[in-house]
Amino acid sequence: MARFQQIRDRLPSLYRPEAGDPSLLTAYLKAIGAVLEQISDDTNTVLQSHWFAYADRALYSPFFLRSRQLQKLPFPKPNDPSLQTFPYIHDLAYLAGVLPLPPWQEPAAQRELVEAYRQRISRTVALYRDGLGTASALRRMIEAQLPVDLSLPPVQQDLPFWLEEFAPLTSRSLTVQMPGSPTDLVGPLMRWSMTNSGLADAVPTIYIQGVEPQADLIDATQTPLIELYQQGDRPVRLGIAYQDTIPPNQTLRLSPTYTSWISLDDHLQQSLFSSTDPTAPGPWQMMEDAPLGEAIAFVQSQDNMLWVAINADGAGSVWRYDGRTWTEIQSSLPPVNGLAVWEHTLLIGTNTGLLSMRLYPDALLEETFDTTPVTALDGRTIFALFETADHHWWIGTDQGAAQLVVPEGEAIANATLEPSPLQATPIYTIHEDASGTIYFGGELGLFQHQPGLNDWYWYSGESRTEDALDWQKLGDTLPAANQVFLPPVRSIQRSADTSLWLGTDQGIARYTARSVRGSTYETILEAFPDLTSGPVSSIQVDERGLVWFAGDRGLLRYDGRDLWQYQTDRWVPLGRADMLYGDTPTARDAWRFNRTTTQWQQFSVQSSTWLTPAIALRTTEEPAVHQIFWMSRVDISLGTWDGTTFTPETMADSNLLQMRFKPNEQRIVNGGIPAIPRLPIGSSTWRYLSMEPGEMGFGSDRPLWTMEGRLIPPPIDLPAPPPGRYDISTPLPASDFDEAVFAFNPAAKVWFTWTAKQPFTILARLKSQSNTPPLDPLILNRVQQGMQQVRPAGILTALAVEEEIQ
């Protein structure tokens, strides 16, 4: 009766009723007070119905509050689940009608509740306020169209998805044709051109159909080999062979599969093969026959051989894997820190220098896998080996960074060093982004080199003000350790959203730009002490643009919005990368690392100072991971093919596949892991060949080529000429035969199909969770319609649930 007391206290004391007075005046004043209080409540209700933040909120519902009273429940706290599940929408729908944005009523099992509806309205308003036609707008629209479960913890309320820009959405195919009759058949040495108009190499599917032999005209499809001969004008000479005969009218299909490797403290693990997902995201299994120890580096040579550096018991070794057998090539080396392939040479970075080793020693010349030290780097610890896009080699050592220069005509062992301004400080990692800027991570944090201007900078990050530059120009001396507000940097990667990710001795950091107001952005450094506080040894970006982190807490992954951790046998979402999840989610904001206290500090906007927050780890303790590596494999099957549809009938023996590689036109070596040669960007030349049946004994002193495309003496390295075709009834004059080369008989039909990354495409990939039912088709249709409303003009969009495009 607050109103009655206010009225009574305003009366003169002579007429003011005493407390507990039962007079008519007291009753009259109480009645007036009750009416005024009801008017006040009604007024608040009317006003709240016009306020977006309060309309239909359970806390202001007389029905909701009275029902709790009847159940003898206390007044709800702000995080009470009953507030999130209040279902009665009325005034909020009228307000949203301005957009227009009605509440969802279908599917019936997922009718929209008040707070989820309020969140969707808020997200939609923010979407239009910040503008359409961007990847950010597309992501916000998808968020707004997907159901939200506010009863779950904040990191699980939104359904996970990510955007893949430049997605491979369009299929291409090629029926290999020859210029002469029969046009649809190919034989050894016959070649054709292919063009990949995509933005990246693609892995094609190959169909080889057996044919009926005809005496002197058509040969059996025996030991067929498909070779990528040239990329533009650059020789490749890598092929995949099937060591058997394909029966007539049967088709051998070679289709790509994918796998990934991770390195743990003392052993390697390989993922299960995936036929659709190039990220091969697990689960991983230990390889029983793999070498034991810490795999510090992976690299594949041109022949598809996998090379792995293993450190164990204080010594390093180099192993080779051909898809079936592990072979130790080098043992008793100093600890190895990195591997790289330079032309036909393997570079091995160790604690005592750089070693070079020929990849394809010729047994006939009594060559072996001997190593030769690069004299210019003797005594240095080699941490990083990096080749830039314009084919310059940078070396990161314990004494700084330098370019490796090989004089023309000289062996790599005689290479010289061109020093950089980064001297007398360890450099652990090197990375080049799409703009050509080169980043160096080391003991003194992060450095940047802009080759076009020949400018060098170092990252400070001390101040949180626009008056101080994040990047300071590097002078004649390096910054002191107390001037650097980053831990030592071990790995660097630029992600698709242009963020620069850093793996440090003290966890993960991200240098990124965030929107301040509209199209105004500011750069900040974010740290992630809630995920890991130990060393992060490797950051890699997979084929779909996801960023992977290998560190002391196992595997983490970033999809452009959310972070994930691989826990035991599944990926678990950790929420948005730009949010800190405590009792109440807050923005991650700006961070720096204080080297004096060895702690991460967060900038407080309220106090304008750097604070050291106490933040608990949100990740589970998983086995430490040191490296990640992806590779292609191949699936093989026999069946029927009509040019558009393949019907598998029997599984072919994958042991019959063999990679074949030509270091030059005169030599053929068995290659490594069977996989289809990747279709390069632009124009490439391919050949149909057949494996040589042992020693062929040509006995000719003129150059000729075998059915596998090997040049027979005299020993000159000639490029293979194009095949000739002729009509038997009108042979060429004898004099013209001196320069002519004729292909072998036709022996097969060949088709290619592939999908390549294309410009102006975006794929939204929804990820399912074990605790949520499959999405209703109505919801998927709603998401697709929303994407069409905000997509950039001229951009092709598509929606996928896991691997299935809708």
Side-chain angles (χ1 to χ4, degrees):
M1 299 296 291
R3 293 287 182 177
F4 161 70
Q5 294 170 356
Q6 292 176 9
I7 297 172
R8 185 195 63 182
D9 292 345
R10 291 177 180 275
L11 292 176
S13 57
L14 181 62
Y15 303 105
R16 186 183 306 153
E18 298 293 335
D21 183 8
S23 66
L24 183 60
L25 177 60
T26 300
Y28 177 68
L29 294 178
K30 286 182 177 181
I32 294 175
V35 171
L36 292 176
E37 286 184 353
Q38 184 62 49
I39 292 173
S40 176
D41 290 345
D42 291 345
T43 302
N44 281 335
T45 300
V46 171
L47 291 174
Q48 287 161 7
S49 69
H50 290 79
W51 296 342
F52 167 74
Y54 301 100
D56 294 333
R57 191 178 290 277
L59 277 177
Y60 306 107
S61 168
F63 167 79
F64 174 78
L65 297 175
R66 180 58 179 161
S67 66
R68 291 185 67 91
Q69 289 177 354
L70 294 176
Q71 298 175 62
K72 297 184 169 35
L73 296 175
F75 192 80
K77 295 181 179 180
N79 59 351
D80 194 299
S82 63
L83 300 178
Q84 306 297 332
T85 57
F86 188 62
Y88 301 108
I89 298 174
H90 183 265
D91 298 314
L92 198 58
Y94 284 107
L95 294 178
V98 176
L99 292 175
L101 208 65
W104 293 328
Q105 300 187 51
E106 297 291 340
Q110 292 180 301
R111 288 181 177 176
E112 202 163 26
L113 304 180
V114 171
E115 297 309 319
Y117 182 40
R118 192 189 317 278
Q119 185 185 81
R120 180 161 66 95
I121 298 170
S122 177
R123 287 177 169 178
T124 306
V125 171
L127 185 160
Y128 284 101
R129 182 180 61 235
D130 292 341
L132 309 182
T134 65
S136 176
L138 199 58
R139 182 178 288 110
R140 288 181 182 224
M141 175 57 79
I142 296 170
E143 288 174 346
Q145 301 305 315
L146 289 172
V148 175
D149 189 347
L150 296 178
S151 65
L152 295 175
V155 296
Q156 301 175 20
Q157 290 176 359
D158 281 304
L159 292 177
F161 72 92
W162 61 67
L163 298 182
E164 298 172 17
E165 298 186 57
F166 313 118
L169 298 181
T170 305
S171 296
R172 299 283 189 267
S173 63
L174 173 72
T175 301
V176 175
Q177 297 280 300
M178 291 293 103
S181 179
T183 59
D184 60 342
L185 298 184
V186 293
L189 295 186
M190 296 183 188
R191 63 173 68 183
W192 59 92
S193 295
M194 297 178 65
T195 301
N196 176 6
S197 59
L199 300 176
D201 295 350
V203 185
T205 297
I206 302 176
Y207 302 88
I208 308 172
Q209 191 172 90
V211 296
E212 191 72 45
Q214 297 181 32
D216 299 326
L217 293 176
I218 298 176
D219 291 341
T221 313
Q222 186 175 1
T223 60
L225 189 157
I226 303 296
E227 180 190 70
L228 170 59
Y229 181 60
Q230 285 182 327
Q231 177 182 356
D233 296 328
R234 182 179 67 85
V236 179
R237 300 185 291 243
L238 175 65
I240 183 168
Y242 178 61
Q243 301 175 89
D244 203 350
T245 300
I246 303 175
N249 301 316
Q250 283 281 294
T251 299
L252 178 76
R253 181 181 67 176
L254 303 176
S255 55
T257 61
Y258 308 93
T259 187
S260 60
W261 299 70
I262 58 174
S263 164
L264 278 66
D265 284 337
D266 56 0
H267 65 276
L268 287 169
Q269 290 189 354
Q270 185 181 19
S271 74
L272 301 179
F273 290 0
S274 169
S275 61
T276 55
D277 187 351
T279 73
W284 289 267
Q285 298 175 345
M286 181 177 177
M287 294 192 69
E288 299 297 335
D289 57 343
L292 297 179
E294 179 185 337
I296 201 70
F298 298 85
V299 69
Q300 265 189 296
S301 49
Q302 298 100 317
D303 61 344
N304 263 24
M305 199 72 74
L306 177 65
W307 298 83
V308 183
I310 302 288
N311 287 338
D313 301 324
S317 58
V318 176
W319 292 72
R320 187 180 71 177
Y321 181 60
D322 63 4
R324 302 178 180 92
T325 305
W326 287 92
T327 305
E328 187 175 24
I329 302 299
Q330 294 292 338
S331 61
S332 302
L333 295 175
V336 178
N337 301 311
L339 298 176
V341 171
W342 184 348
E343 297 177 349
H344 291 177
T345 301
L346 182 69
L347 301 180
I348 308 170
T350 76
N351 276 4
T352 60
L354 181 64
L355 304 175
S356 66
M357 184 189 79
R358 61 171 61 90
L359 284 168
Y360 313 109
D362 192 337
L364 294 178
L365 300 178
E366 298 183 348
E367 295 176 344
T368 61
F369 286 112
D370 290 336
T371 60
T372 303
V374 178
T375 308
L377 289 163
D378 278 351
R380 297 194 184 189
T381 299
I382 309 299
F383 292 117
L385 304 166
F386 186 82
E387 184 180 16
T388 64
D390 57 359
H391 305 297
H392 289 102
W393 279 89
W394 284 92
I395 312 295
T397 77
D398 59 337
Q399 300 177 32
Q403 275 190 271
L404 194 65
V405 181
V406 181
E408 187 174 354
E410 293 282 343
I412 192 172
N414 300 325
T416 60
L417 292 182
E418 184 178 312
S420 74
L422 300 181
Q423 297 299 308
T425 182
I427 297 299
Y428 302 131
T429 185
I430 305 171
H431 174 73
E432 181 183 24
D433 66 15
S435 70
T437 301
I438 304 174
Y439 294 91
F440 299 81
E443 193 64 27
L444 288 178
L446 185 64
F447 296 87
Q448 178 189 131
H449 174 46
Q450 298 180 5
L453 302 173
N454 198 28
D455 287 337
W456 290 80
Y457 300 86
W458 62 277
Y459 180 80
S460 169
E462 177 181 6
S463 302
R464 182 72 181 100
T465 171
E466 293 301 318
D467 296 332
L469 296 175
D470 294 339
W471 294 91
Q472 305 286 338
K473 196 156 188 177
L474 186 63
D476 295 333
T477 59
L478 296 172
N482 60 4
Q483 295 177 284
V484 177
F485 287 83
L486 268 180
V489 174
R490 300 282 175 175
S491 51
I492 307 170
Q493 278 291 335
R494 178 80 74 179
S495 57
D497 61 1
T498 71
S499 296
L500 191 67
W501 290 92
L502 309 176
T504 77
D505 283 352
Q506 303 289 332
I508 301 169
R510 174 173 73 162
Y511 185 70
T512 188
R514 69 174 183 181
S515 176
V516 178
R517 191 180 307 106
S519 58
T520 302
Y521 287 79
E522 64 175 355
T523 54
I524 61 171
L525 182 78
E526 295 175 333
F528 299 81
D530 52 325
L531 303 184
T532 177
S533 58
V536 176
S537 55
S538 179
I539 306 177
Q540 302 291 337
V541 178
D542 67 27
E543 196 165 316
R544 287 181 171 171
L546 307 182
V547 185
W548 294 55
F549 308 88
D552 67 319
R553 307 284 285 187
L555 284 175
L556 298 170
R557 192 173 71 183
Y558 170 68
D559 64 20
R561 183 192 72 172
D562 295 338
L563 289 156
W564 304 66
Q565 185 189 23
Y566 188 76
Q567 298 179 3
T568 308
D569 61 353
R570 64 192 182 98
W571 287 96
V572 176
L574 301 174
R576 298 169 185 257
D578 59 359
M579 300 295 291
L580 272 174
Y581 291 90
D583 294 335
T584 302
T586 58
R588 192 169 291 274
D589 286 333
W591 294 72
R592 72 177 189 181
F593 185 77
N594 189 318
R595 289 192 170 216
T596 302
T597 63
T598 66
Q599 291 177 314
W600 285 103
Q601 296 178 320
Q602 185 183 32
F603 187 76
S604 170
V605 177
Q606 290 77 15
S607 61
S608 296
T609 58
W610 294 97
L611 304 177
T612 305
I615 295 179
L617 287 169
R618 297 192 293 120
T619 53
T620 60
E621 187 174 354
E622 303 292 334
V625 176
H626 302 286
Q627 292 292 334
I628 318 158
F629 188 76
W630 291 273
M631 68 171 63
S632 298
R633 300 294 294 261
V634 62
D635 181 67
I636 178 173
S637 55
L638 282 166
T640 58
W641 168 257
D642 62 6
T644 57
T645 303
F646 180 79
T647 305
E649 295 177 349
T650 59
M651 292 298 295
D653 185 358
S654 60
N655 291 320
L656 295 175
L657 292 177
Q658 177 66 60
M659 298 304 295
R660 301 282 274 178
F661 177 68
K662 299 182 182 70
N664 55 52
E665 295 288 354
Q666 299 163 288
R667 288 187 62 207
I668 300 175
V669 298
N670 281 330
I673 297 171
I676 303 166
R678 299 183 75 93
L679 178 61
I681 302 173
S683 177
S684 56
T685 302
W686 295 69
R687 298 196 297 184
Y688 179 90
L689 304 171
S690 182
M691 290 185 68
E692 293 181 6
E695 184 61 42
M696 299 187 68
F698 282 93
S700 172
D701 61 354
R702 64 181 294 170
L704 54 89
W705 283 263
T706 71
M707 65 176 59
E708 197 173 347
R710 182 168 62 94
L711 177 64
I712 300 296
I716 50 178
D717 195 12
L718 297 175
R725 302 295 293 267
Y726 67 95
D727 186 334
I728 296 176
S729 62
T730 55
L732 294 171
S735 59
D736 291 347
F737 274 77
D738 289 339
E739 302 299 330
V741 175
F742 298 95
F744 292 83
N745 286 336
K749 295 182 179 181
V750 177
W751 294 262
F752 283 73
T753 63
W754 71 94
T755 57
K757 290 187 176 183
Q758 297 292 331
F760 312 118
T761 58
I762 296 181
L763 175 69
R765 191 178 301 277
L766 306 183
K767 303 297 290 182
S768 59
Q769 291 181 286
S770 57
N771 59 345
T772 57
L775 288 175
D776 190 284
L778 287 171
I779 296 175
L780 298 179
N781 185 56
R782 196 165 66 205
V783 172
Q784 289 177 315
Q785 291 179 353
M787 292 171 64
Q788 293 302 314
Q789 293 176 23
V790 300
R791 67 178 176 84
I795 297 296
L796 174 65
T797 60
L799 177 68
V801 178
E802 293 292 348
E803 299 302 313
E804 183 179 351
I805 296 180
Q806 303 300 300

